[in-house]
Amino acid sequence: MRSAALRRCLAPALPAALPPSRGLCGRHTGGGGAAAAARKITENAKKSLASLKRQNPQLEPTLAIIQAHNDHLIQEANKNLAKEVGLRIIHICLPEGSSKDEIVSEILRLNEDPNVQGLALDLPESLYSSKVLNAVKPEKDVDGLSSVNLGHLVHGDVCDCLVPPTVCAVMELLENLGGKTVLLVGASGAVGAALQSMLQREGAAVISCPWKAPQLQNELRHADVVVFGSMKPDDVPVSWIKPGTTIISCSHDLLSEKRNYSQQNNSAAENAVGSLAIAMRMQNMVKAMERWIQSRQYRKWNLHCLKLQPLSPVPSDIEISRAQSPKAVDVLAKEIGLLTDEIEIYGQTKAKVRLSLLERLKDQPDGKYVLVAGITPTPLGEGKSTVTVGLVQALTAHLKINSFACLRQPSQGPTFGVKGGAAGGGYAQVIPMEEFNLHLTGDIHAITAANNLLAAAVDARILHESTQSDKSLYSRLVPVVNGVRGFSPIQLARLRKLGINKTDPETLTEEEISKFARLDIDPSTITWQRGSILISSQQMRALRIFSVLPFGCYKGRFEVECLVDTNDRFLRKITIGQANTEKGFVRQAQFDIAVASEIMAILALTTSPQDMKERLGKMVVANDKKGEPITAEDLGVTGALAVLMKDAIKPTLMQTLEGTPVFVHAGPFANIAHGNSSVLADKIALKLVGEKGFVVTEAGFGADIGMEKFFNIKCRASGLFPSVVVLVATVRALKMHGGGPNVTAGAPLKKEYTEENLQLVADGCCNLQKQIQITQLFGVPVVVALNVFKTDSPAEVDLVCKIAKQSGAFDAVPCNHWSAGGRGAVQLAQAVEKAANQKNSFKYLYSLELPIVEKIRIIAQKVYGAQDIELSPVAQSQVDRYTRQGFGNLPICMAKTHLSLSHQPERKGVPTGFILPISDVRASIGAGFIYPLVGTLYVDSKRELGKCNIREELQL
């Protein structure tokens, strides 16, 4: 219906500086008729849009119109005006008999289309139900007919709503309404309500009346202005309208802008809104674009922090977590400036954040970047996560400074082991702690699935190559589909790598087919881990688990580590492939903790989906029989791996006990990997906090390991540089380094740790001094955070802070966030704020152009304090191999015990004069680093060297 289509035109945007009603509709003229007003509005809309495009060259404003009638005149009018203004228009023409559900389905699709900024409806009257109108996203509702827009309008929130275009057209044609009586006839629903509200705001007395009302004749005789909301029935004579009455019709076709009633002895003239309403629709679209652009700009935080009421004695972590009621995550997201289409909600307290935010805020300056590291820890840990959470709670909840914590996701292994969860502790936690520590949003499961897919591809390729001819392999790899054989993009890339510059599968020679189809994987060189999540029931029946098999290689078999995210001792060594269907392909395998996968390290270091895909493709899984590396790209599974990781790449938003935001993303170990949360989480957080805000992230283990890798590996990948380092220390750990007895997880502390002993503290501060010196190697200011325990005496605390300052720390402050929440870390937050404004002369420890051995030596001597390094023959051979293969310019990721600066866990304090033994050297090419293994606990197989570090960390 034309009348319905015209009434449902776009609502104009609301310039805040204009008076209430005229500002709402952007009135341009005081008279001159609808056609003149339409021309004026169209011209102004065109100029406004041109200005927006000059400021935003990539902008392509798009209006989608859903039409479910056959009136092509209206369709052409919309297209012509949109073209004149400069809008791109999409017409979705549905059959005239379309149902409401079909309309809603199309609306929902367009709601999620990021290339459509405005959505309008041209429908038959019967389809304009609240279900249909409210399906349109309010921010795209340029017709202004949703309950959200109308609610704002009726309540006078003129800056937050869009007014229906037909209403604006009516208001454009009327002026000086104060004290006049306006009769609305046949104007019901959303348009009628909006008209009544607008007219009343102008001071008119408004009466609404249906066509069949018995009092209609009397009302028409007394009205100064009559607005027809729909077509006037023939049984309502014009003579009922008093002479001189202004008549506005919302129902007549576009070609008739005015109907004269003089031939009926009535001087009244009926003005039809016609093309004026469509011009208003285009104006609304331009105004909606202005709002859309404004909504994409950085938003000032409006954060409501949660109140804490710390108890004494401090309850258990789980009791504290459950006693606090977290905010709904969508509320938190809105408070920190995230848009509704930038989050994917998981339950009530977690949400994935889409990477599109980085594009939206690309011009927003970054905030300050803070790294939390620690001294060489006891097996109990010294509270880096707790300090991280306490610091952001202090910054945001107490100093009113925007801040974000970026933490690693914990593995189930440590969580269910002695170490426990990683959500912080006491009154400095991420909540809910159960959600944080268990599963979260499934990222580790996605990594396991991707890891297992690649392992399955390796096994399948070896099996098929050993049982099939070149021709059969080629036919399977490049099958005929619908009579045509063609290479996929990934196969074309492999052909180029092989030096075969052909694109037609039928033109390859027999030699080229063999070269293309066969990877010739050397089973003894396979390094890729394997997991159980993708093992089929058939494979499971064939799997025998041996808990007593010795480590090492067996004749005719090769060993591959396997992957599971729990400490299952009986899966350390297994034999698989014993089913008859595997044709004698039996081998040793081994499960490992899921977060040790190279895919986890890639997730933590990637900067975009494309970068992740490229890194996944570079992962080396084995060598061929000529000694050349075989990658995931060679196996043709890169795209599949990337698809499995498509959601895991998005950081997860949570909150602290005081309602401040936290990103939880990635969880690589700090020995065989770099031990930091993701680059993407840091980048997004730095944009969100604003130029004066702070992003606080944590590095695993001591500064000699996690911080060194943060600087030399993560900062190289991200291009980000920290403003300050917070170095966490405890009196307990310093006493241990000063000669105190061993600290054992699960065992009571000896009296040396619970009674004042200033000498032990003073002697142990050598480790703190060394870690400060390590930090200074990178040119970054350091603040020492002394994590205070109830057994620490004031004298011990004062002594540590004094020595730290004398050793070059910018400041050293005691922290009580565990027992007091953010309030207990306010002094630390103030020190960090001051330190972040100091001169920063950040520099890397070594150049990537140096040889692998020289880079290892620099780390060993300058960071650990070693006299020199010593490479085993195996390690030297691997260094030579990686250099020959072109991997010599990668950074170094040392896999070393975290319990000592040396390779010997029992050597505390600051060991000197030792030779650092490098047992083996391995590479995570996709992640982008070489990792030397320090120590030789296992010697049965080169694959077991350095395994002590992983198991030591997890306390298996």
Side-chain angles (χ1 to χ4, degrees):
M1 291 176 64
R2 291 178 186 167
S3 59
L6 290 175
R7 288 200 308 278
R8 274 34 182 200
C9 291
L10 280 175
L14 320 171
L18 296 177
S21 66
R22 297 189 182 188
L24 280 171
C25 291
R27 184 178 297 176
H28 296 81
T29 66
R39 286 192 296 272
K40 183 72 172 178
I41 289 167
T42 301
E43 185 61 30
N44 285 342
K46 180 180 179 180
K47 291 179 180 178
S48 296
L49 187 60
S51 176
L52 289 178
K53 287 183 175 180
R54 283 194 297 272
Q55 298 170 23
N56 304 273
Q58 305 301 319
L59 189 66
E60 187 178 13
T62 301
L63 169 64
I65 301 177
I66 300 176
Q67 180 173 313
H69 57 77
N70 297 321
D71 194 329
H72 300 295
L73 187 60
I74 293 176
Q75 181 177 340
E76 286 303 313
N78 277 294
K79 285 184 177 180
N80 292 337
L81 272 181
K83 183 177 180 180
E84 184 176 349
V85 170
L87 292 168
R88 174 174 174 258
I89 195 166
I90 300 174
H91 249 104
I92 294 91
C93 298
L94 300 178
E96 194 162 356
S98 297
S99 67
K100 293 179 182 178
D101 287 340
E102 290 171 329
I103 302 293
V104 168
S105 177
E106 197 63 36
I107 290 172
L108 296 178
R109 182 184 68 81
L110 293 168
N111 279 345
E112 300 306 315
D113 188 342
N115 297 316
V116 172
Q117 293 83 32
L119 178 55
L121 305 176
D122 281 339
L123 307 174
E125 182 70 30
S126 60
L127 292 177
Y128 281 104
S129 66
S130 60
K131 175 181 178 180
V132 171
L133 297 178
N134 289 323
V136 181
K137 275 188 175 181
E139 59 267 30
K140 292 190 177 186
D141 179 22
V142 289
D143 277 350
L145 298 176
S146 67
S147 296
V148 172
N149 271 314
L150 289 175
H152 284 305
L153 175 63
V154 171
H155 286 91
D157 301 329
V158 296
C159 292
D160 297 321
C161 70
L162 294 171
V163 184
T166 300
V167 176
C168 283
V170 170
M171 300 304 297
E172 183 73 24
L173 296 173
L174 297 174
E175 58 182 5
N176 300 324
L177 290 172
K180 292 184 179 180
T181 300
V182 179
L183 177 65
L184 306 180
V185 187
S188 60
V191 172
L195 264 173
Q196 187 164 341
S197 176
M198 293 289 292
L199 290 165
Q200 288 175 341
R201 192 172 284 112
E202 282 288 321
V206 184
I207 300 171
S208 184
C209 191
W211 287 112
K212 299 296 183 181
Q215 73 274 23
L216 176 60
Q217 181 176 356
N218 183 58
E219 299 293 356
L220 286 170
R221 290 189 184 279
H222 293 89
D224 300 306
V225 177
V226 177
V227 178
F228 294 160
S230 55
M231 183 74 71
K232 182 182 73 64
D234 292 336
D235 59 355
V236 177
V238 176
S239 60
W240 288 5
I241 303 173
K242 71 178 182 181
T245 299
T246 300
I247 303 173
I248 305 292
S249 175
C250 303
S251 63
H252 286 282
D253 62 54
L254 302 173
L255 302 179
S256 176
E257 296 293 348
K258 180 176 288 187
R259 176 178 294 180
N260 197 303
Y261 291 117
S262 59
Q263 70 274 21
Q264 302 181 39
N265 299 319
N266 190 318
S267 61
E270 177 184 342
N271 293 281
V273 294
S275 59
L276 176 57
I278 293 184
M280 289 292 187
R281 171 179 274 181
M282 301 308 153
Q283 174 185 265
N284 280 359
M285 180 61 193
V286 175
K287 296 295 185 180
M289 283 305 307
E290 292 175 349
R291 293 182 178 185
W292 182 84
I293 292 170
Q294 186 178 11
S295 75
R296 314 303 288 183
Q297 303 302 311
Y298 176 78
R299 297 182 181 183
K300 186 178 179 181
W301 284 20
N302 184 26
L303 191 67
H304 169 68
C305 293
L306 303 178
K307 298 296 183 182
L308 269 187
Q309 295 181 330
L311 302 177
S312 183
V314 177
S316 68
D317 291 350
I318 190 67
E319 289 174 319
I320 294 172
S321 175
R322 289 178 175 175
Q324 183 66 288
S325 297
K327 292 179 284 189
V329 72
D330 59 328
V331 173
L332 173 63
K334 184 176 181 180
E335 288 178 343
I336 62 175
L338 286 165
L339 306 181
T340 54
D341 61 358
E342 289 175 338
I343 60 171
E344 299 168 5
I345 295 176
Y346 285 65
Q348 296 296 313
T349 57
K350 300 172 295 186
K352 285 286 191 182
V353 175
R354 294 176 177 171
L355 306 186
S356 58
L357 178 144
L358 288 172
E359 176 63 24
R360 174 170 70 87
L361 297 182
K362 63 182 179 181
D363 297 325
Q364 167 67 23
D366 288 345
K368 300 291 196 303
Y369 199 22
V370 180
L371 174 67
V372 176
I375 65 171
T376 304
T378 69
L380 305 178
E382 309 318 306
K384 294 191 302 297
S385 298
T386 308
V387 168
T388 300
V389 176
L391 175 56
V392 295
Q393 289 181 178
L395 284 166
T396 302
H398 299 276
L399 299 185
K400 308 305 177 185
I401 300 172
N402 293 353
S403 71
F404 234 109
C406 292
L407 299 175
R408 288 183 290 170
Q409 177 184 357
S411 163
Q412 290 181 27
T415 298
F416 287 110
V418 177
K419 185 177 179 182
Y427 287 101
Q429 290 189 57
V430 180
I431 58 172
M433 66 172 293
E434 305 100 311
E435 299 286 342
F436 177 92
N437 285 312
L438 304 176
H439 301 295
L440 198 64
T441 47
D443 293 355
I444 291 179
H445 302 306
I447 289 167
T448 304
N451 193 99
N452 294 339
L453 174 64
L454 182 52
V458 172
D459 288 340
R461 192 59 174 263
I462 294 174
L463 177 64
H464 290 310
E465 288 190 21
S466 66
T467 59
Q468 296 182 40
S469 66
D470 293 348
K471 184 177 180 180
S472 296
L473 282 172
Y474 190 64
S475 296
R476 285 173 176 262
L477 290 170
V478 194
V480 176
V481 179
N482 296 325
V484 179
R485 189 197 298 268
F487 290 123
S488 66
I490 198 169
Q491 290 175 331
L492 290 171
R494 173 160 168 75
L495 286 169
R496 289 192 295 271
K497 178 180 178 181
L498 294 171
I500 303 173
N501 298 315
K502 295 180 180 180
T503 58
D504 184 354
E506 304 298 340
T507 62
L508 267 64
T509 66
E510 289 186 3
E511 182 182 355
E512 289 171 337
I513 287 174
S514 178
K515 195 175 180 181
F516 171 80
R518 293 193 178 276
L519 297 178
D520 283 332
I521 297 173
D522 181 355
S524 66
T525 66
I526 294 178
T527 56
W528 194 251
Q529 302 169 344
R530 185 178 178 85
S532 62
I533 194 169
L534 290 184
I535 292 179
S536 67
S537 58
Q538 180 186 29
Q539 289 173 311
M540 189 62 73
R541 286 195 300 270
L543 181 117
R544 292 166 52 207
I545 299 177
F546 295 93
S547 61
V548 295
L549 280 177
F551 293 101
C553 295
Y554 283 73
K555 184 177 180 181
R557 300 177 179 179
F558 56 91
E559 181 179 309
V560 178
E561 293 178 357
C562 302
L563 195 63
V564 68
D565 195 36
T566 306
N567 302 349
D568 193 334
R569 304 178 67 91
F570 291 89
L571 292 179
R572 287 181 178 178
K573 186 69 64 175
I574 61 174
T575 300
I576 65 171
Q578 296 198 13
N580 293 332
T581 54
E582 311 312 318
K583 302 179 181 180
F585 185 65
V586 179
R587 62 181 176 84
Q588 296 280 314
Q590 178 177 317
F591 280 81
D592 202 354
I593 203 81
V595 293
S597 171
E598 183 178 351
I599 297 176
M600 175 63 87
I602 288 174
L603 177 65
L605 290 171
T606 192
T607 56
S608 68
Q610 183 59 37
D611 178 57
M612 181 179 70
K613 186 176 180 180
E614 291 174 2
R615 287 175 178 269
L616 291 171
K618 292 177 182 178
M619 293 187 301
V620 174
V621 298
N623 291 327
D624 64 18
K625 293 174 181 177
K626 295 179 181 178
E628 296 302 316
I630 300 295
T631 66
E633 185 84 1
D634 293 326
L635 287 161
V637 297
T638 307
L641 298 177
V643 168
L644 286 171
M645 295 292 292
K646 66 180 180 64
D647 292 320
I649 196 175
K650 305 165 190 172
T652 298
L653 176 66
M654 294 188 74
Q655 63 193 284
T656 68
L657 279 166
E658 298 191 53
T660 66
V662 177
F663 273 143
V664 187
H665 199 211
F669 279 155
N671 43 29
I672 61 170
H674 60 292
N676 306 132
S677 62
S678 79
V679 167
L680 283 170
D682 292 354
K683 282 179 172 286
I684 292 174
L686 285 165
K687 295 297 182 185
L688 286 172
V689 295
E691 191 171 6
K692 295 181 179 180
F694 285 81
V695 172
V696 184
T697 190
E698 173 197 349
F701 295 153
D704 57 306
I705 300 180
M707 184 191 73
E708 181 271 316
K709 295 176 182 180
F710 175 90
F711 288 140
N712 285 319
I713 298 176
K714 184 177 180 180
C715 287
R716 279 188 163 106
S718 67
L720 303 172
F721 311 113
S723 306
V724 60
V725 169
V726 174
L727 191 63
V728 179
T730 63
V731 168
R732 177 183 66 196
L734 293 173
K735 286 181 175 180
M736 179 190 72
H737 288 296
N742 289 337
V743 176
T744 305
L749 290 172
K750 302 291 176 58
K751 66 176 184 178
E752 287 84 352
Y753 296 105
T754 58
E755 299 175 358
E756 183 179 286
N757 192 323
L758 296 177
Q759 188 60 50
L760 272 183
V761 173
D763 292 343
C765 278
C766 62
N767 187 271
L768 173 61
Q769 292 171 311
K770 174 62 175 176
Q771 302 288 7
I772 292 173
Q773 292 169 10
I774 294 171
T775 307
Q776 291 172 334
L777 289 174
F778 298 93
V780 181
V782 57
V783 172
V784 172
L786 184 61
N787 194 10
V788 177
F789 291 14
K790 63 181 180 181
T791 54
D792 301 342
S793 72
E796 291 172 329
V797 171
D798 291 342
L799 178 61
V800 174
C801 293
K802 178 183 177 181
I803 293 175
K805 293 177 185 177
Q806 291 174 345
S807 302
F810 175 82
D811 204 350
V813 295
C815 305
N816 296 285
H817 45 272
W818 181 81
S819 58
R823 191 174 302 280
V826 167
Q827 189 179 352
L828 173 63
Q830 292 169 334
V832 167
E833 184 182 13
K834 292 178 182 177
N837 293 320
Q838 299 300 303
K839 181 180 179 181
N840 188 326
S841 54
F842 175 79
K843 56 182 177 294
Y844 296 118
L845 185 64
Y846 53 79
S847 167
L848 293 180
E849 303 306 316
L850 291 174
I852 293 174
V853 172
E854 187 58 30
K855 287 182 281 193
I856 297 172
R857 180 175 286 109
I858 289 173
I859 295 172
Q861 293 178 335
K862 292 189 176 182
V863 177
Y864 306 151
Q867 180 179 330
D868 203 349
I869 61 173
E870 183 179 34
L871 272 68
S872 71
V874 170
Q876 186 61 59
S877 174
Q878 288 293 83
V879 168
D880 295 341
R881 179 194 296 270
Y882 294 140
T883 302
R884 184 176 67 255
Q885 293 176 341
F887 304 139
N889 61 346
L890 294 177
I892 303 300
C893 181
M894 300 288 281
K896 182 187 77 71
T897 179
H898 60 294
L899 297 176
S900 172
L901 284 165
S902 74
H903 58 288
Q904 299 168 301
E906 68 277 6
R907 297 188 65 177
K908 306 302 181 183
V910 182
T912 58
F914 60 92
I915 304 296
L916 192 74
I918 308 301
S919 311
D920 196 0
V921 177
R922 300 183 190 169
S924 292
I925 304 303
F929 52 73
I930 303 289
Y931 62 101
L933 303 180
V934 181
T936 55
L937 181 60
Y938 293 111
V939 295
D940 294 309
S941 158
K942 67 176 183 179
R943 290 202 43 77
E944 291 306 320
L945 298 177
K947 273 290 164 37
C948 55
N949 297 317
I950 301 174
R951 291 178 182 160
E952 184 178 70
E953 176 183 358
L954 299 181
Q955 298 163 4
L956 287 170

